[in-house]
Amino acid sequence: MRRPECYGREDAATRIPNPMYASNAGTTPMWQPQSLRSLADAAAKIPNPMYASHEGATRMRQPLPSWRSLANADVKMLNPMYASSSANPPMDQPKTDYQARANDDENTPDATYANIPDDPPMDQPQTDYHANVDENMPDATPASVPDDPPMDQPQTDYQARANDDENKPDGTHASIQDDIRQLSTAVDAFTRDQDDMSATVDALKRGLDNERNRTIALEQRLHQIEKTLTSCPEGYTIWRYICYKAFYTLKNFDDAAATCRVDGGTLAMPRDADTNTFLASLEKSKTHGFWIGLHDRREEGKFEWVDGSALGSYSSWAPGEPNDHNEDEDCAATWEDQVWNDAHCSGLQMNFICQTAPGCP
Ligand SMILES: [Ca+2]
Ligand SMILES: [Ca+2]
């Protein structure tokens, strides 16, 4: 009995001269296992000697008509491996013919060639670049070479920037011009100030020269004054800018005073103790006193100096003096220890001391 689910497969099997069935020609198998049929289909594609041996004969003894029928059937039957494919072979189908691939390359636009640019890329090998240049393409190298050599390129860029600066209003350039104007103004002001300062310096120099000349003149005057102040008449000794001289000639008061006037001075007027002490150093006589320029002729008891000035607070009267002895003593003279005494002006002959200013004859 045949299993109903195997009828369809039996029909297909009858169309395929399967060696398994060919050896049992005329005999219909009861049923055939599914796995065995698949093996039979695969075997139909490849003339495997293993199947041929299942016919009960060796490969060498396989009947030729059976082998040929298998080959013919193989040609007509669609290969199960390709049955689900389209008319074109799958992309992963191995190319078995080099020429076929070559034909495909001719008819199909090749992406590799389509992507080749007209100009060779910069990084293209030198051999390809030269091939393009030498054959069909114009040489791009001369066209791209600038008029100036590459070394001048920075200069060209600098010139271009300079031209841009000249053609475009530049805020920085205007600011620099403003700074230059301000600087020029400052320089002019500085120059004027410098001129003023130069004039001031010249004036100061002139003033300094004048002061220097004035100082020289003053120094000369001072030297002259010093010389004059230290210049006393013959025999006179200077004491606090006054010249003094002791005369050892016995004369009355008026004759003594007259001798002092000859030397340009007067009888000595010791107005303080130091000067009085200095005069004592000049008096070398112990036997006679020395007339000095003090008297009370105009008013009794009121002594004054020969120049008309008052006696003042200083005096060196000897004890008990002035006593205006016999009411006739109005002229003063020094005695020992440099004390003063009133004496008769014309009745006595005494030494005297004169004084005069320096520089006087
Ligand atoms: Ca008197
Ligand atoms: Ca007296």
Side-chain angles (χ1 to χ4, degrees):
M1 291 297 292
R2 296 171 52 189
R3 297 178 58 176
E5 63 272 21
C6 299
Y7 282 122
R9 301 180 182 272
E10 183 182 9
D11 294 340
T14 56
R15 294 194 296 271
I16 302 173
N18 194 321
M20 292 292 293
Y21 302 149
S23 62
N24 296 325
T27 302
T28 301
M30 294 301 290
W31 64 277
Q32 190 171 8
Q34 184 62 32
S35 57
L36 185 59
R37 294 295 301 273
S38 298
L39 291 174
D41 294 340
K45 295 183 296 184
I46 302 173
N48 194 332
M50 292 295 293
Y51 293 104
S53 63
H54 289 172
E55 292 180 292
T58 63
R59 184 177 182 182
M60 294 302 295
R61 295 187 302 172
Q62 184 175 5
L64 183 57
S66 299
W67 178 260
R68 174 63 64 186
S69 63
L70 288 174
N72 293 335
D74 191 15
V75 171
K76 295 177 183 179
M77 191 188 79
L78 293 175
N79 192 330
M81 294 184 65
Y82 302 143
S84 61
S85 300
S86 61
N88 294 328
M91 294 301 293
D92 56 349
Q93 186 172 2
K95 293 291 186 178
T96 57
D97 192 339
Y98 180 82
Q99 185 61 42
R101 289 203 303 272
N103 293 335
D104 292 340
D105 292 341
E106 292 178 355
N107 297 327
T108 303
D110 194 331
T112 301
Y113 295 148
N115 292 332
I116 295 175
D118 295 335
D119 294 332
M122 294 303 293
D123 55 351
Q124 189 168 357
Q126 187 64 28
T127 18
D128 294 342
Y129 178 77
H130 278 293
N132 292 333
V133 169
D134 295 338
E135 290 178 0
N136 299 324
M137 297 181 62
D139 193 349
T141 302
S144 63
V145 173
D147 295 336
D148 295 331
M151 292 302 292
D152 294 338
Q153 187 63 31
Q155 181 65 30
T156 305
D157 295 341
Y158 176 79
Q159 187 64 38
R161 290 197 299 274
N163 293 332
D164 292 340
D165 293 339
E166 292 177 355
N167 296 328
K168 293 189 301 184
D170 192 345
T172 303
H173 184 66
S175 176
I176 292 175
Q177 289 181 342
D178 292 340
D179 293 341
I180 291 174
R181 284 193 291 271
Q182 293 178 2
L183 184 62
S184 178
T185 303
V187 169
D188 293 340
F190 177 75
T191 302
R192 289 194 296 272
D193 292 341
Q194 192 176 24
D195 294 339
D196 295 340
M197 291 180 65
S198 297
T200 302
V201 169
D202 293 339
L204 290 174
K205 287 182 178 178
R206 289 193 297 271
L208 182 62
D209 293 338
N210 293 333
E211 290 298 324
R212 183 179 293 109
N213 294 331
R214 183 169 175 268
T215 301
I216 293 174
L218 289 176
E219 289 178 349
Q220 292 176 351
R221 176 61 178 162
L222 178 62
H223 178 70
Q224 184 178 1
I225 291 173
E226 288 177 351
K227 183 178 179 181
T228 301
L229 291 179
T230 57
S231 175
C232 294
E234 179 66 23
Y236 282 75
T237 303
I238 190 166
W239 167 258
R240 294 183 178 178
Y241 303 105
I242 297 177
C243 301
Y244 297 94
K245 180 179 179 180
F247 285 84
Y248 297 92
T249 305
L250 299 177
K251 293 182 176 180
N252 61 36
F253 184 87
D254 291 336
D255 292 341
T259 302
C260 292
R261 284 194 293 271
V262 173
D263 290 339
T266 62
L267 289 173
M269 297 176 283
R271 302 180 188 270
D272 53 70
D274 292 339
T275 303
N276 194 49
T277 302
F278 173 73
L279 294 181
S281 67
L282 299 178
E283 299 171 357
K284 305 301 182 186
S285 175
K286 300 298 182 181
T287 58
H288 294 85
F290 293 81
W291 296 112
I292 60 174
L294 183 66
H295 68 92
D296 63 345
R297 285 178 173 177
R298 292 193 304 165
E299 183 178 352
E300 179 57 37
K302 186 178 180 180
F303 286 84
E304 60 183 87
W305 298 108
V306 292
D307 63 356
S309 60
L311 174 61
S313 59
Y314 173 74
S315 66
S316 181
W317 297 110
E321 300 296 336
N323 59 0
D324 193 33
H325 180 69
N326 299 323
E327 297 180 354
D328 196 15
E329 294 181 338
D330 296 332
C331 293
T334 60
W335 293 91
E336 294 180 1
D337 301 328
Q338 201 58 30
V339 293
W340 302 346
N341 174 48
D342 60 342
H344 196 277
C345 294
S346 59
L348 294 177
Q349 301 290 317
M350 288 188 289
N351 299 319
F352 57 92
I353 299 176
C354 297
Q355 75 171 42
T356 182
C360 294

mmCIF file of all heavy atoms in Angstrom, residues 46-54 59 62 67:
data_model
loop_
_atom_site.group_PDB
_atom_site.id
_atom_site.type_symbol
_atom_site.label_atom_id
_atom_site.label_comp_id
_atom_site.label_asym_id
_atom_site.label_seq_id
_atom_site.Cartn_x
_atom_site.Cartn_y
_atom_site.Cartn_z
ATOM 1 N N ILE A 46 24.932 15.759 -8.774
ATOM 2 C CA ILE A 46 26.339 15.378 -8.918
ATOM 3 C C ILE A 46 26.380 13.877 -9.203
ATOM 4 O O ILE A 46 25.814 13.066 -8.446
ATOM 5 C CB ILE A 46 27.121 15.689 -7.639
ATOM 6 C CG1 ILE A 46 27.017 17.171 -7.309
ATOM 7 C CG2 ILE A 46 28.573 15.245 -7.743
ATOM 8 C CD1 ILE A 46 27.612 17.561 -5.990
ATOM 9 N N PRO A 47 27.003 13.519 -10.251
ATOM 10 C CA PRO A 47 27.127 12.088 -10.547
ATOM 11 C C PRO A 47 28.116 11.427 -9.606
ATOM 12 O O PRO A 47 29.313 11.269 -9.937
ATOM 13 C CB PRO A 47 27.613 12.065 -11.991
ATOM 14 C CG PRO A 47 28.302 13.373 -12.165
ATOM 15 C CD PRO A 47 27.590 14.345 -11.309
ATOM 16 N N ASN A 48 27.647 11.169 -8.403
ATOM 17 C CA ASN A 48 28.527 10.582 -7.397
ATOM 18 C C ASN A 48 28.683 9.102 -7.646
ATOM 19 O O ASN A 48 27.690 8.363 -7.803
ATOM 20 C CB ASN A 48 27.898 10.812 -6.015
ATOM 21 C CG ASN A 48 28.922 10.547 -4.913
ATOM 22 O OD1 ASN A 48 29.846 9.765 -5.088
ATOM 23 N ND2 ASN A 48 28.732 11.227 -3.804
ATOM 24 N N PRO A 49 29.923 8.695 -7.747
ATOM 25 C CA PRO A 49 30.119 7.256 -7.993
ATOM 26 C C PRO A 49 29.532 6.380 -6.902
ATOM 27 O O PRO A 49 29.223 5.224 -7.121
ATOM 28 C CB PRO A 49 31.651 7.133 -8.038
ATOM 29 C CG PRO A 49 32.146 8.510 -8.317
ATOM 30 C CD PRO A 49 31.171 9.443 -7.753
ATOM 31 N N MET A 50 29.358 7.052 -5.678
ATOM 32 C CA MET A 50 28.799 6.254 -4.592
ATOM 33 C C MET A 50 27.400 5.770 -4.951
ATOM 34 O O MET A 50 26.991 4.653 -4.643
ATOM 35 C CB MET A 50 28.748 7.103 -3.313
ATOM 36 C CG MET A 50 30.114 7.436 -2.752
ATOM 37 S SD MET A 50 31.000 5.964 -2.200
ATOM 38 C CE MET A 50 29.968 5.495 -0.814
ATOM 39 N N TYR A 51 26.621 6.652 -5.589
ATOM 40 C CA TYR A 51 25.271 6.210 -5.972
ATOM 41 C C TYR A 51 25.318 5.181 -7.083
ATOM 42 O O TYR A 51 24.500 4.273 -7.176
ATOM 43 C CB TYR A 51 24.448 7.411 -6.419
ATOM 44 C CG TYR A 51 24.162 8.360 -5.254
ATOM 45 C CD1 TYR A 51 24.869 9.538 -5.153
ATOM 46 C CD2 TYR A 51 23.242 8.014 -4.289
ATOM 47 C CE1 TYR A 51 24.611 10.372 -4.092
ATOM 48 C CE2 TYR A 51 22.993 8.851 -3.226
ATOM 49 C CZ TYR A 51 23.670 10.032 -3.133
ATOM 50 O OH TYR A 51 23.438 10.843 -2.099
ATOM 51 N N ALA A 52 26.263 5.411 -7.952
ATOM 52 C CA ALA A 52 26.333 4.432 -9.056
ATOM 53 C C ALA A 52 26.631 3.036 -8.533
ATOM 54 O O ALA A 52 26.143 2.034 -9.060
ATOM 55 C CB ALA A 52 27.452 4.867 -10.027
ATOM 56 N N SER A 53 27.370 2.970 -7.451
ATOM 57 C CA SER A 53 27.698 1.644 -6.921
ATOM 58 C C SER A 53 26.498 0.992 -6.276
ATOM 59 O O SER A 53 26.479 -0.218 -6.086
ATOM 60 C CB SER A 53 28.844 1.780 -5.891
ATOM 61 O OG SER A 53 28.416 2.549 -4.817
ATOM 62 N N HIS A 54 25.438 1.864 -5.923
ATOM 63 C CA HIS A 54 24.260 1.249 -5.319
ATOM 64 C C HIS A 54 23.452 0.496 -6.329
ATOM 65 O O HIS A 54 22.513 -0.176 -5.967
ATOM 66 C CB HIS A 54 23.390 2.355 -4.672
ATOM 67 C CG HIS A 54 24.056 2.903 -3.448
ATOM 68 N ND1 HIS A 54 23.576 3.991 -2.772
ATOM 69 C CD2 HIS A 54 25.168 2.504 -2.768
ATOM 70 C CE1 HIS A 54 24.364 4.224 -1.759
ATOM 71 N NE2 HIS A 54 25.361 3.319 -1.747
ATOM 72 N N ARG A 59 31.645 1.274 -10.634
ATOM 73 C CA ARG A 59 31.608 2.477 -11.497
ATOM 74 C C ARG A 59 32.015 2.132 -12.908
ATOM 75 O O ARG A 59 31.487 2.651 -13.872
ATOM 76 C CB ARG A 59 32.560 3.529 -10.920
ATOM 77 C CG ARG A 59 32.499 4.806 -11.679
ATOM 78 C CD ARG A 59 33.382 5.812 -11.058
ATOM 79 N NE ARG A 59 33.303 7.068 -11.741
ATOM 80 C CZ ARG A 59 34.025 8.125 -11.413
ATOM 81 N NH1 ARG A 59 34.853 8.048 -10.375
ATOM 82 N NH2 ARG A 59 33.925 9.230 -12.092
ATOM 83 N N GLN A 62 29.095 0.740 -14.834
ATOM 84 C CA GLN A 62 27.829 1.473 -14.869
ATOM 85 C C GLN A 62 27.355 1.592 -16.296
ATOM 86 O O GLN A 62 28.107 1.957 -17.196
ATOM 87 C CB GLN A 62 28.021 2.888 -14.302
ATOM 88 C CG GLN A 62 26.741 3.645 -14.222
ATOM 89 C CD GLN A 62 26.961 4.985 -13.553
ATOM 90 O OE1 GLN A 62 28.081 5.310 -13.260
ATOM 91 N NE2 GLN A 62 25.895 5.722 -13.334
ATOM 92 N N TRP A 67 23.795 6.683 -17.144
ATOM 93 C CA TRP A 67 24.637 7.866 -16.823
ATOM 94 C C TRP A 67 24.236 9.053 -17.663
ATOM 95 O O TRP A 67 24.113 10.175 -17.171
ATOM 96 C CB TRP A 67 26.129 7.522 -17.047
ATOM 97 C CG TRP A 67 27.063 8.681 -16.798
ATOM 98 C CD1 TRP A 67 27.611 9.451 -17.725
ATOM 99 C CD2 TRP A 67 27.466 9.145 -15.548
ATOM 100 N NE1 TRP A 67 28.373 10.388 -17.153
ATOM 101 C CE2 TRP A 67 28.303 10.217 -15.760
ATOM 102 C CE3 TRP A 67 27.222 8.716 -14.210
ATOM 103 C CZ2 TRP A 67 28.901 10.899 -14.742
ATOM 104 C CZ3 TRP A 67 27.854 9.426 -13.225
ATOM 105 C CH2 TRP A 67 28.665 10.518 -13.491
#
